[in-house]
Amino acid sequence: RAEVVINGSLSPAVVDRSNESIKHNIQPASAKWRHNQTLSLRIRKQILKFLDAEKDISVLKGTLKPGDVIHYIFDRDSTMNVSQNLHELLPRTSPLKNKHFGTCAIVGNSGVLLNSGCGQEIDTHSFVIRCNLAPVQEYAQDVGIKTDLVTMNPSVIQRAFEDLVNATWREKLLQRLHSLNGSILWIPAFMARGGKERVEWVNELILKHHVNVRTAYPSLRLLHAVRGYWLTNKVHIKRPTTGLLMYTLATRFCDQIYLYGFWPFPLDQNQNPVKYHYYDSLKYGYTSQASPHTMPLEFKALKSLHEQGALKLTVGRCD
Ligand code: CTP
Protein backbone atom coordinates (compact mmCIF):
# COMPACT_ATOMS: atom_id res chain seq x y z
CA ARG A 1 0.00 0.00 0.00
CA ALA A 2 1.41 3.37 -1.02
CA GLU A 3 2.07 5.71 1.88
CA VAL A 4 1.31 9.40 1.96
CA VAL A 5 4.69 10.91 2.55
CA ILE A 6 4.23 14.58 3.18
CA ASN A 7 7.45 15.60 4.79
CA GLY A 8 9.58 12.59 4.01
CA SER A 9 12.64 12.04 1.93
CA LEU A 10 10.88 12.15 -1.42
CA SER A 11 11.96 15.70 -2.06
CA PRO A 12 15.69 16.05 -1.47
CA ALA A 13 15.48 19.77 -0.88
CA VAL A 14 18.67 21.45 0.21
CA VAL A 15 17.85 24.04 2.85
CA ASP A 16 20.21 26.90 3.53
CA ARG A 17 20.61 28.50 6.96
CA SER A 18 17.90 31.10 6.49
CA ASN A 19 15.62 28.37 5.18
CA GLU A 20 14.57 30.82 2.48
CA SER A 21 16.32 29.59 -0.62
CA ILE A 22 15.68 25.91 -0.91
CA LYS A 23 16.86 24.45 -4.19
CA HIS A 24 13.48 23.49 -5.40
CA ASN A 25 13.18 22.15 -8.86
CA ILE A 26 9.58 21.20 -9.30
CA GLN A 27 9.39 17.67 -10.66
CA PRO A 28 7.60 16.27 -12.50
CA ALA A 29 7.28 19.25 -14.81
CA SER A 30 3.84 20.37 -15.88
CA ALA A 31 3.40 18.15 -18.95
CA LYS A 32 4.42 14.94 -17.13
CA TRP A 33 2.40 15.49 -13.94
CA ARG A 34 -0.41 12.96 -13.37
CA HIS A 35 -3.20 13.19 -10.83
CA ASN A 36 -3.15 10.44 -8.21
CA GLN A 37 -6.80 9.94 -7.39
CA THR A 38 -6.28 7.21 -4.82
CA LEU A 39 -3.91 9.39 -2.86
CA SER A 40 -6.20 12.45 -3.09
CA LEU A 41 -9.08 10.43 -1.69
CA ARG A 42 -6.92 9.08 1.12
CA ILE A 43 -5.81 12.60 2.06
CA ARG A 44 -9.43 13.79 2.04
CA LYS A 45 -10.34 10.98 4.41
CA GLN A 46 -7.41 11.71 6.74
CA ILE A 47 -8.21 15.42 6.87
CA LEU A 48 -11.85 14.64 7.63
CA LYS A 49 -10.65 13.09 10.87
CA PHE A 50 -9.49 16.56 11.94
CA LEU A 51 -11.96 18.94 10.36
CA ASP A 52 -14.89 19.12 8.00
CA ALA A 53 -14.61 22.01 5.54
CA GLU A 54 -18.35 22.04 5.05
CA LYS A 55 -18.82 22.91 8.72
CA ASP A 56 -15.56 24.63 9.60
CA ILE A 57 -15.58 27.08 6.75
CA SER A 58 -17.95 29.26 8.78
CA VAL A 59 -19.68 29.72 12.08
CA LEU A 60 -23.42 29.64 11.42
CA LYS A 61 -25.97 32.23 12.50
CA GLY A 62 -27.90 29.78 14.63
CA THR A 63 -24.91 29.03 16.86
CA LEU A 64 -24.26 32.59 18.10
CA LYS A 65 -26.31 35.58 19.17
CA PRO A 66 -25.40 39.26 19.34
CA GLY A 67 -23.46 40.01 22.51
CA ASP A 68 -21.93 36.54 22.81
CA VAL A 69 -18.34 36.63 24.01
CA ILE A 70 -15.62 34.98 21.93
CA HIS A 71 -12.04 34.35 23.02
CA TYR A 72 -9.56 34.96 20.21
CA ILE A 73 -7.94 31.76 19.06
CA PHE A 74 -4.37 33.03 19.31
CA ASP A 75 -4.93 35.48 22.15
CA ARG A 76 -7.04 33.48 24.56
CA ASP A 77 -7.02 36.24 27.19
CA SER A 78 -8.59 38.74 24.82
CA THR A 79 -12.25 38.63 23.96
CA MET A 80 -14.67 40.19 21.52
CA ASN A 81 -18.42 40.52 21.53
CA VAL A 82 -20.47 39.36 18.58
CA SER A 83 -21.89 42.57 17.12
CA GLN A 84 -25.31 42.95 15.56
CA ASN A 85 -23.71 43.42 12.13
CA LEU A 86 -21.47 40.39 12.44
CA HIS A 87 -24.42 38.30 13.52
CA GLU A 88 -26.46 39.53 10.60
CA LEU A 89 -23.74 38.51 8.15
CA LEU A 90 -23.18 35.00 9.53
CA PRO A 91 -24.50 32.48 6.99
CA ARG A 92 -27.56 30.41 7.88
CA THR A 93 -26.16 27.35 6.12
CA SER A 94 -22.66 26.46 5.03
CA PRO A 95 -21.68 28.14 1.75
CA LEU A 96 -20.07 24.82 0.86
CA LYS A 97 -23.04 22.65 1.72
CA ASN A 98 -23.12 19.68 -0.66
CA LYS A 99 -20.59 21.37 -2.94
CA HIS A 100 -18.39 19.26 -5.13
CA PHE A 101 -16.01 20.33 -7.90
CA GLY A 102 -13.93 18.48 -10.47
CA THR A 103 -10.99 20.87 -10.41
CA CYS A 104 -10.18 23.82 -8.15
CA ALA A 105 -7.53 26.50 -8.34
CA ILE A 106 -5.97 28.03 -5.26
CA VAL A 107 -4.17 31.22 -6.17
CA GLY A 108 -1.45 32.30 -3.76
CA ASN A 109 -0.01 35.79 -3.91
CA SER A 110 3.62 35.21 -4.89
CA GLY A 111 5.21 37.40 -7.56
CA VAL A 112 6.04 34.19 -9.42
CA LEU A 113 2.68 34.71 -11.11
CA LEU A 114 3.94 37.80 -12.94
CA ASN A 115 4.51 37.02 -16.64
CA SER A 116 3.22 33.50 -16.07
CA GLY A 117 0.35 33.85 -18.55
CA CYS A 118 -1.65 31.60 -16.19
CA GLY A 119 -4.81 33.72 -16.12
CA GLN A 120 -6.72 31.78 -18.75
CA GLU A 121 -5.85 28.40 -17.24
CA ILE A 122 -6.80 29.53 -13.75
CA ASP A 123 -10.18 30.74 -14.97
CA THR A 124 -11.00 27.33 -16.49
CA HIS A 125 -11.20 25.66 -13.07
CA SER A 126 -14.65 25.02 -11.63
CA PHE A 127 -13.89 26.73 -8.32
CA VAL A 128 -11.25 29.43 -7.88
CA ILE A 129 -9.98 30.45 -4.45
CA ARG A 130 -7.96 33.64 -3.95
CA CYS A 131 -6.24 35.13 -0.94
CA ASN A 132 -6.47 38.43 0.88
CA LEU A 133 -8.48 40.43 -1.64
CA ALA A 134 -5.51 40.44 -4.01
CA PRO A 135 -6.28 42.57 -7.07
CA VAL A 136 -7.14 40.76 -10.30
CA GLN A 137 -8.27 43.21 -13.00
CA GLU A 138 -4.85 44.74 -13.67
CA TYR A 139 -3.15 41.32 -13.60
CA ALA A 140 -5.83 39.28 -15.38
CA GLN A 141 -3.46 37.79 -17.94
CA ASP A 142 -1.30 36.24 -15.23
CA VAL A 143 -3.77 35.56 -12.42
CA GLY A 144 -7.20 35.35 -14.08
CA ILE A 145 -10.40 36.96 -12.89
CA LYS A 146 -12.78 34.21 -11.79
CA THR A 147 -13.23 34.25 -8.04
CA ASP A 148 -15.51 31.90 -6.16
CA LEU A 149 -14.00 32.42 -2.74
CA VAL A 150 -11.63 35.10 -1.54
CA THR A 151 -10.11 35.42 1.91
CA MET A 152 -9.58 38.65 3.81
CA ASN A 153 -7.30 38.80 6.83
CA PRO A 154 -8.25 41.92 8.82
CA SER A 155 -4.66 43.17 8.32
CA VAL A 156 -5.40 43.62 4.61
CA ILE A 157 -7.53 46.64 5.45
CA GLN A 158 -4.47 48.28 6.91
CA ARG A 159 -1.98 47.06 4.33
CA ALA A 160 -3.92 47.53 1.12
CA PHE A 161 -6.62 50.05 2.04
CA GLU A 162 -4.82 52.48 4.40
CA ASP A 163 -7.17 51.60 7.26
CA LEU A 164 -9.92 53.46 5.37
CA VAL A 165 -8.54 56.79 6.54
CA ASN A 166 -10.60 58.77 4.07
CA ALA A 167 -13.46 58.53 1.59
CA THR A 168 -11.13 57.59 -1.28
CA TRP A 169 -9.89 54.45 0.48
CA ARG A 170 -13.40 53.54 1.62
CA GLU A 171 -14.56 53.84 -1.97
CA LYS A 172 -11.64 51.69 -3.18
CA LEU A 173 -12.53 48.93 -0.77
CA LEU A 174 -16.20 49.23 -1.63
CA GLN A 175 -15.43 48.86 -5.35
CA ARG A 176 -13.30 45.79 -4.65
CA LEU A 177 -16.11 44.26 -2.59
CA HIS A 178 -18.72 45.03 -5.27
CA SER A 179 -16.48 43.36 -7.85
CA LEU A 180 -16.76 40.09 -5.91
CA ASN A 181 -20.22 39.79 -7.33
CA GLY A 182 -21.76 36.98 -5.31
CA SER A 183 -18.63 35.08 -4.36
CA ILE A 184 -17.74 33.94 -0.85
CA LEU A 185 -15.80 36.44 1.26
CA TRP A 186 -13.98 34.50 3.98
CA ILE A 187 -12.98 36.63 6.96
CA PRO A 188 -10.96 35.10 9.81
CA ALA A 189 -12.53 37.35 12.43
CA PHE A 190 -11.80 35.30 15.52
CA MET A 191 -8.09 34.50 15.08
CA ALA A 192 -6.16 37.30 16.71
CA ARG A 193 -7.04 40.46 18.58
CA GLY A 194 -6.28 43.68 16.77
CA GLY A 195 -8.48 43.09 13.75
CA LYS A 196 -11.79 43.71 15.45
CA GLU A 197 -12.42 47.24 14.17
CA ARG A 198 -11.30 46.36 10.67
CA VAL A 199 -13.74 43.47 10.52
CA GLU A 200 -16.48 45.75 11.82
CA TRP A 201 -15.74 48.40 9.17
CA VAL A 202 -15.99 45.82 6.41
CA ASN A 203 -19.19 44.34 7.83
CA GLU A 204 -20.71 47.79 8.03
CA LEU A 205 -19.77 48.63 4.43
CA ILE A 206 -21.26 45.38 3.16
CA LEU A 207 -24.55 45.94 4.95
CA LYS A 208 -24.83 49.65 4.26
CA HIS A 209 -24.16 49.29 0.52
CA HIS A 210 -25.93 45.97 0.04
CA VAL A 211 -22.77 44.42 -1.35
CA ASN A 212 -23.46 41.14 -3.09
CA VAL A 213 -21.09 38.76 -1.27
CA ARG A 214 -21.65 35.63 0.79
CA THR A 215 -19.72 36.24 3.99
CA ALA A 216 -18.14 33.38 5.95
CA TYR A 217 -16.23 33.51 9.25
CA PRO A 218 -14.14 30.40 9.96
CA SER A 219 -14.99 28.23 12.93
CA LEU A 220 -13.14 28.57 16.21
CA ARG A 221 -11.63 25.12 15.84
CA LEU A 222 -10.39 25.37 12.25
CA LEU A 223 -6.88 26.66 12.93
CA HIS A 224 -6.02 24.07 15.54
CA ALA A 225 -7.58 21.30 13.49
CA VAL A 226 -5.53 22.21 10.41
CA ARG A 227 -2.40 22.47 12.50
CA GLY A 228 -3.19 19.12 14.08
CA TYR A 229 -3.52 17.43 10.70
CA TRP A 230 -0.19 18.74 9.44
CA LEU A 231 1.61 18.06 12.73
CA THR A 232 0.38 14.47 12.59
CA ASN A 233 2.05 14.31 9.19
CA LYS A 234 5.27 15.73 10.64
CA VAL A 235 4.89 19.16 9.11
CA HIS A 236 5.64 21.39 12.06
CA ILE A 237 3.94 24.61 11.14
CA LYS A 238 3.57 27.33 13.75
CA ARG A 239 0.56 29.00 12.23
CA PRO A 240 -0.78 27.80 8.88
CA THR A 241 -0.83 30.41 6.13
CA THR A 242 -4.00 31.31 4.33
CA GLY A 243 -2.77 29.29 1.34
CA LEU A 244 -2.27 26.11 3.38
CA LEU A 245 -5.63 26.60 5.11
CA MET A 246 -7.29 26.85 1.71
CA TYR A 247 -5.60 23.71 0.40
CA THR A 248 -6.60 21.78 3.51
CA LEU A 249 -10.23 22.93 3.19
CA ALA A 250 -10.32 22.33 -0.56
CA THR A 251 -9.45 18.64 -0.23
CA ARG A 252 -13.00 18.14 1.04
CA PHE A 253 -14.86 19.43 -2.01
CA CYS A 254 -12.36 19.42 -4.90
CA ASP A 255 -11.31 16.27 -6.74
CA GLN A 256 -8.20 17.85 -8.25
CA ILE A 257 -6.39 20.82 -6.75
CA TYR A 258 -4.13 23.17 -8.73
CA LEU A 259 -1.93 25.66 -6.91
CA TYR A 260 -0.65 28.87 -8.52
CA GLY A 261 1.32 31.69 -6.92
CA PHE A 262 2.87 29.55 -4.19
CA TRP A 263 6.56 30.44 -4.11
CA PRO A 264 7.95 31.91 -0.89
CA PHE A 265 11.44 32.47 -2.28
CA PRO A 266 13.16 35.56 -3.67
CA LEU A 267 14.60 33.74 -6.72
CA ASP A 268 12.75 31.59 -9.23
CA GLN A 269 13.92 28.26 -10.62
CA ASN A 270 16.15 30.10 -13.08
CA GLN A 271 17.57 32.36 -10.34
CA ASN A 272 15.60 35.42 -11.49
CA PRO A 273 14.25 37.71 -8.76
CA VAL A 274 10.65 37.11 -7.65
CA LYS A 275 8.52 39.67 -5.84
CA TYR A 276 7.01 38.57 -2.55
CA HIS A 277 3.52 39.59 -3.70
CA TYR A 278 2.59 40.04 -7.35
CA TYR A 279 0.76 43.28 -6.61
CA ASP A 280 2.59 45.27 -3.92
CA SER A 281 6.05 46.04 -2.61
CA LEU A 282 6.01 43.94 0.56
CA LYS A 283 9.45 42.44 1.23
CA TYR A 284 10.54 38.90 2.07
CA GLY A 285 11.69 39.68 5.61
CA TYR A 286 8.02 39.87 6.33
CA THR A 287 7.76 36.06 6.18
CA SER A 288 10.71 35.10 8.30
CA GLN A 289 10.93 36.79 11.68
CA ALA A 290 8.04 39.23 11.85
CA SER A 291 5.45 36.72 10.75
CA PRO A 292 4.73 33.49 12.59
CA HIS A 293 4.33 31.65 9.27
CA THR A 294 6.76 29.00 8.10
CA MET A 295 6.10 29.27 4.39
CA PRO A 296 9.20 27.47 3.07
CA LEU A 297 8.36 24.50 5.28
CA GLU A 298 4.78 24.48 4.01
CA PHE A 299 6.11 24.76 0.48
CA LYS A 300 8.27 21.68 0.97
CA ALA A 301 5.21 19.72 2.07
CA LEU A 302 3.17 20.94 -0.91
CA LYS A 303 6.03 20.12 -3.25
CA SER A 304 6.13 16.60 -1.93
CA LEU A 305 2.39 16.27 -2.55
CA HIS A 306 2.93 17.56 -6.09
CA GLU A 307 5.55 14.88 -6.67
CA GLN A 308 3.08 12.25 -5.54
CA GLY A 309 0.26 13.58 -7.74
CA ALA A 310 -2.03 14.71 -4.91
CA LEU A 311 -1.98 18.33 -6.09
CA LYS A 312 -0.39 20.25 -8.92
CA LEU A 313 1.95 23.16 -8.26
CA THR A 314 2.57 25.58 -11.09
CA VAL A 315 5.56 27.84 -10.53
CA GLY A 316 6.47 28.79 -14.08
CA ARG A 317 4.64 29.75 -17.25
CA CYS A 318 1.33 28.14 -18.12
CA ASP A 319 1.76 27.82 -21.88
N1 CTP B 1 2.34 32.67 -0.81
C1 CTP B 1 3.49 32.00 -1.23
N2 CTP B 1 4.60 32.71 -1.56
C2 CTP B 1 4.64 34.05 -1.47
C3 CTP B 1 3.49 34.75 -1.01
C4 CTP B 1 2.35 34.02 -0.69
O1 CTP B 1 3.49 30.78 -1.30
N3 CTP B 1 5.73 34.71 -1.83
C5 CTP B 1 1.12 31.90 -0.53
C6 CTP B 1 0.97 31.55 0.95
O2 CTP B 1 0.40 30.26 1.07
C7 CTP B 1 0.00 32.61 1.44
C8 CTP B 1 -0.86 32.86 0.23
O3 CTP B 1 0.00 32.70 -0.89
O4 CTP B 1 -0.78 32.20 2.53
C9 CTP B 1 -1.48 34.24 0.19
O5 CTP B 1 -0.50 35.23 0.38
P1 CTP B 1 -0.60 36.33 1.52
O6 CTP B 1 -1.74 37.19 1.22
O7 CTP B 1 0.73 36.96 1.71
O8 CTP B 1 -0.93 35.31 2.74
P2 CTP B 1 -1.06 35.22 4.32
O9 CTP B 1 -0.70 33.85 4.72
O10 CTP B 1 -2.40 35.64 4.73
O11 CTP B 1 -0.01 36.17 4.89
P3 CTP B 1 -0.12 37.08 6.13
O12 CTP B 1 -0.62 36.24 7.26
O13 CTP B 1 1.30 37.45 6.29
O14 CTP B 1 -1.05 38.20 5.78
Side-chain angles (χ1 to χ4, degrees), residues 55 58-64 87 90-95 217:
K55 295 200 179 81
S58 186
V59 172
L60 299 182
K61 204 191 273 293
T63 63
L64 289 177
H87 188 256
L90 290 172
R92 284 184 196 283
T93 51
S94 166
Y217 305 83

Side-chain angles (χ1 to χ4, degrees), residues 108-110 131-132 153 159 241-243 262-264 276-277 286 293:
N109 285 334
S110 161
C131 302
N132 284 322
N153 283 348
R159 251 180 15 218
T241 65
T242 305
F262 282 67
W263 187 263
Y276 178 63
H277 279 164
Y286 180 75
H293 294 326

Side-chain angles (χ1 to χ4, degrees), residues 75-306:
D75 304 295
R76 296 296 303 161
D77 296 340
S78 300
T79 57
M80 63 169 278
N81 287 81
V82 175
S83 69
Q84 199 77 43
N85 282 350
L86 174 60
H87 188 256
E88 198 163 330
L89 287 170
L90 290 172
R92 284 184 196 283
T93 51
S94 166
L96 289 180
K97 195 169 170 59
N98 300 327
K99 293 284 185 222
H100 198 88
F101 303 101
T103 74
C104 296
I106 305 176
V107 187
N109 285 334
S110 161
V112 81
L113 278 164
L114 292 171
N115 299 316
S116 68
C118 286
Q120 225 178 352
E121 182 179 313
I122 290 173
D123 285 350
T124 61
H125 294 288
S126 317
F127 195 82
V128 178
I129 299 176
R130 299 183 188 271
C131 302
N132 284 322
L133 283 183
V136 286
Q137 292 294 347
E138 315 87 294
Y139 303 93
Q141 197 153 4
D142 294 328
V143 309
I145 299 232
K146 184 171 156 58
T147 303
D148 297 286
L149 184 155
V150 64
T151 70
M152 191 210 87
N153 283 348
S155 58
V156 168
I157 301 304
Q158 179 194 20
R159 251 180 15 218
F161 297 95
E162 296 285 332
D163 260 345
L164 312 183
V165 286
N166 55 34
T168 313
W169 285 105
R170 282 195 292 280
E171 187 54 32
K172 269 194 188 169
L173 175 62
L174 188 59
Q175 288 315 319
R176 181 70 185 99
L177 293 174
H178 276 307
S179 76
L180 295 178
N181 210 3
S183 45
I184 301 169
L185 176 63
W186 190 83
I187 308 177
F190 315 124
M191 302 287 178
R193 64 158 189 254
K196 185 174 189 306
E197 277 144 15
R198 293 172 184 133
V199 173
E200 284 302 319
W201 296 337
V202 174
N203 289 343
E204 206 179 305
L205 269 188
I206 292 172
L207 288 168
K208 188 169 162 201
H209 298 273
H210 307 284
V211 177
N212 179 20
V213 280
R214 288 178 291 153
T215 37
Y217 305 83
S219 80
L220 297 171
R221 59 188 291 277
L222 178 70
L223 245 293
H224 293 302
V226 168
R227 222 173 136 239
Y229 166 73
W230 289 98
L231 282 176
T232 306
N233 284 283
K234 300 193 175 57
V235 181
H236 295 268
I237 42 176
K238 287 190 208 150
R239 193 185 290 193
T241 65
T242 305
L244 192 73
L245 282 175
M246 289 301 118
Y247 166 72
T248 316
L249 287 171
T251 56
R252 168 76 160 101
F253 56 96
C254 304
D255 288 343
Q256 296 190 25
I257 301 178
Y258 292 75
L259 266 44
Y260 305 86
F262 282 67
W263 187 263
F265 311 108
L267 296 176
D268 70 11
Q269 297 195 98
N270 302 317
Q271 306 302 302
N272 298 313
V274 178
K275 286 179 70 185
Y276 178 63
H277 279 164
Y278 68 83
Y279 55 89
D280 64 20
S281 50
L282 216 58
K283 297 284 178 258
Y284 278 90
Y286 180 75
T287 49
S288 49
Q289 280 95 33
S291 161
H293 294 326
T294 30
M295 273 196 207
L297 190 71
E298 288 186 6
F299 183 84
K300 195 178 160 206
L302 295 172
K303 182 180 171 224
S304 167
L305 290 172
H306 167 94

